[in-house]
Amino acid sequence: MLEPLYTAEEARAAEEGHDVAELMERAGAAVAREVAQLFPDAHRIAVVCGGGSNGGDGRIAARILREEGRDAVETTAVEQADVIVDALFGTGFHGEPREEAAATIERINAAGAPVVSVDVPSGVDSSTGEVAGAAVRATVTVTFHGRKLGLAVAPGLFHAGEVVVADIGLEHAETEHRLVTPAILSLVPRKRAEDSKYSAGSVLVAGGAPGMTGAACLAAEAAFRADAGYVAVAVPEQSLPVVETKLLEPVKLTWADAREAAAKAGALAIGPGLGRDAAAKALREDLLGAGDQKLVLDADALHDLDPGEWGERAVLTPHSGELGRLLGESSGWVDAHRLEAARRCSEGFGCVCLLKGADTIVAAPAQGVLVVLAEAPGLATAGTGDVLTGILAAFLAKGLDPRLGAAAAAAAHGLAARRLPQRGLVAGDVISALPAVLA
């Protein structure tokens, strides 16, 4: 359920004790094989080689392609190529390319031909996914032994294209960071014959200020569809008529009843449509101290939030803008340093941080990150974050620990979305697809 994601250092360690020339021969052969299979009609292949072992892999690939009768040339003149092989920089690269290399990268990107990157797109930091300057936008990345962390974390994720992992005969080792697979959903407890609605997972959603009742409703509906047994929704009194009309299954309460209701819940989802006024912040603080329930803090619950003793029970679920405010950084900085940002949040608040995005990052104090690839662009629509909050609250209420619960919730969220047409997808569609994903 968790696959390895290699940093540059871990990749080097895996290669220690092996014949370098033999590994390069296997790597070059793997690249040549993928080029031939993916682009069978390509004849002129421009192979852009750097000076290191990555360039060596490229030269071997070019040699094999020539032996197969293709016009594979080691060159930076890429404009007339049918396919470009990018073997400029490898896993050891970090920082910003020098001027000449940056110009070559820009020529590759402007050529209009498919690009096959060797191990990692040139310009991408393989250990962080960070891109400090020019970076190749690959059609396919052929990476060796195992997926590199920088191919799964944005912005590197967006440069990698399709990732093909080629076996070059190395033994797999433990890595600090892991990629989450759909198998993680096997950890989500199923309802048993002896369960009651409370033991099957009891959730309280607190939010739903006037004008934002939809967020609380989506979270509550998602919690039920994620197999919670009991869901209650606490909203301001003036929002209650709207929520009574919209929701059938959940119990409807006012904020005045929230603390008492929290005592019966296994998990609290605080934030969907909460608002940021004094009453909303007072409710948040009251619920944070209401017991030992597991917590999901989302949206407005993250505004002006300070660390507290509740951290080890909590999952924070920010997008880049919200996380930037928590860290005193811009959203642009978070987007450029997603791994560092999520880890700073988890360490600073002593909690699990789930940084939302195409590469959802789950960071916990003193542990490696878990990465969930959504592969569902339709999730870029209002309300899907509230759906994730409801799923996560249900999983926590059912007994999953915050770190694995967060990873499982992100996986279920993405899998449900992938079952649907991506154009015109709305948050409620994702809720309707959850039972089939969890079946």
Side-chain angles (χ1 to χ4, degrees):
M1 66 185 66
L2 301 175
E3 295 180 354
L5 289 171
Y6 287 85
T7 64
E9 183 178 354
E10 289 166 341
R12 285 193 296 270
E15 295 174 359
E16 288 182 0
H18 293 265
D19 183 88
V20 174
E22 185 176 348
L23 291 179
M24 289 176 61
E25 191 68 29
R26 294 173 186 168
V31 172
R33 182 170 59 251
E34 291 300 328
V35 170
Q37 290 178 350
L38 294 172
F39 308 103
D41 298 327
H43 180 68
R44 189 174 192 279
I45 301 166
V47 185
V48 183
C49 298
S53 60
N54 192 256
D57 298 338
R59 292 182 182 91
I60 291 169
R63 187 202 75 213
I64 294 172
L65 289 167
R66 286 194 295 271
E67 291 171 353
E68 295 175 353
R70 298 173 187 258
D71 181 15
V73 180
E74 299 162 38
T75 180
T76 59
V78 298
E79 286 73 13
Q80 302 303 316
D82 298 322
V83 174
I84 301 167
V85 175
D86 158 38
L88 192 58
F89 300 134
T91 57
F93 173 84
H94 65 275
E96 187 173 354
R98 294 179 179 175
E99 185 175 349
E100 183 179 353
T104 298
I105 289 171
E106 296 297 353
R107 289 181 74 178
I108 292 172
N109 288 339
V115 179
V116 178
S117 284
V118 177
D119 218 5
V120 64
S122 295
V124 172
D125 188 314
S126 68
S127 296
T128 66
E130 293 179 9
V131 174
V136 168
R137 289 195 172 272
T139 310
V140 179
T141 297
V142 181
T143 196
F144 310 124
H145 179 53
R147 190 186 295 250
K148 308 307 181 292
L149 180 61
L151 301 178
V153 174
L157 168 68
F158 304 133
H159 287 259
E162 179 187 352
V163 176
V164 176
V165 178
D167 181 6
I168 56 171
L170 301 176
E171 294 183 3
H172 285 288
E174 286 296 315
T175 58
E176 181 181 5
H177 312 295
R178 311 297 292 272
L179 181 69
V180 176
T181 74
I184 197 169
L185 296 183
S186 66
L187 297 180
V188 181
R190 292 178 174 271
K191 289 174 180 169
R192 303 162 298 174
E194 62 267 31
D195 271 328
S196 69
K197 59 187 177 184
Y198 296 108
S199 65
S202 174
V203 172
L204 173 66
V205 177
M212 298 183 287
T213 52
C217 292
L218 286 168
E221 291 175 330
F224 260 135
R225 290 300 187 182
D227 208 32
Y230 180 92
V231 179
V233 183
V235 299
E237 188 169 356
Q238 58 267 48
S239 295
L240 197 56
V242 176
V243 177
E244 287 275 21
T245 302
K246 171 62 177 172
L247 295 179
L248 180 63
E249 292 87 355
V251 173
K252 278 73 72 175
L253 309 166
T254 68
W255 282 2
D257 304 315
R259 187 180 180 95
E260 181 180 352
K264 303 175 184 177
L268 312 182
I270 309 171
L274 183 67
R276 299 179 181 180
D277 62 14
K281 291 181 179 178
L283 176 65
R284 178 189 68 188
E285 296 307 310
D286 192 31
L287 292 178
L288 289 178
D292 60 357
Q293 306 91 341
K294 292 173 184 174
L295 305 166
V296 184
L297 300 180
D298 183 35
D300 290 332
L302 301 173
H303 188 256
D304 287 340
L305 182 67
D306 294 318
E309 295 181 357
W310 44 263
E312 64 181 16
R313 300 183 280 122
V315 182
L316 274 56
T317 61
H319 55 58
S320 59
E322 292 162 340
L323 184 51
R325 287 189 288 272
L326 287 174
L327 299 178
E329 304 281 1
S330 69
S331 60
W333 182 89
V334 173
D335 288 336
H337 306 86
R338 288 177 59 80
L339 189 67
E340 179 183 349
R343 300 185 84 174
R344 272 179 57 183
C345 176
S346 69
E347 296 292 343
F349 284 84
C351 68
V352 171
C353 174
L354 183 158
L355 175 54
K356 291 182 281 198
D359 57 327
T360 295
I361 297 174
V362 177
Q367 299 186 70
V369 304
L370 303 176
V371 181
V372 184
L373 299 181
E375 300 177 301
L379 285 173
T381 191
T384 55
D386 303 308
V387 173
L388 176 60
T389 292
I391 299 169
L392 175 52
F395 287 2
L396 297 183
K398 293 170 78 66
L400 287 182
D401 72 80
R403 180 173 180 256
L404 290 177
H413 191 237
L415 286 167
R418 290 207 296 274
R419 296 177 68 92
L420 303 164
Q422 295 304 293
R423 298 190 71 176
L425 181 150
V426 297
D429 299 334
V430 180
I431 295 173
S432 66
L434 284 169
V437 167
L438 298 173

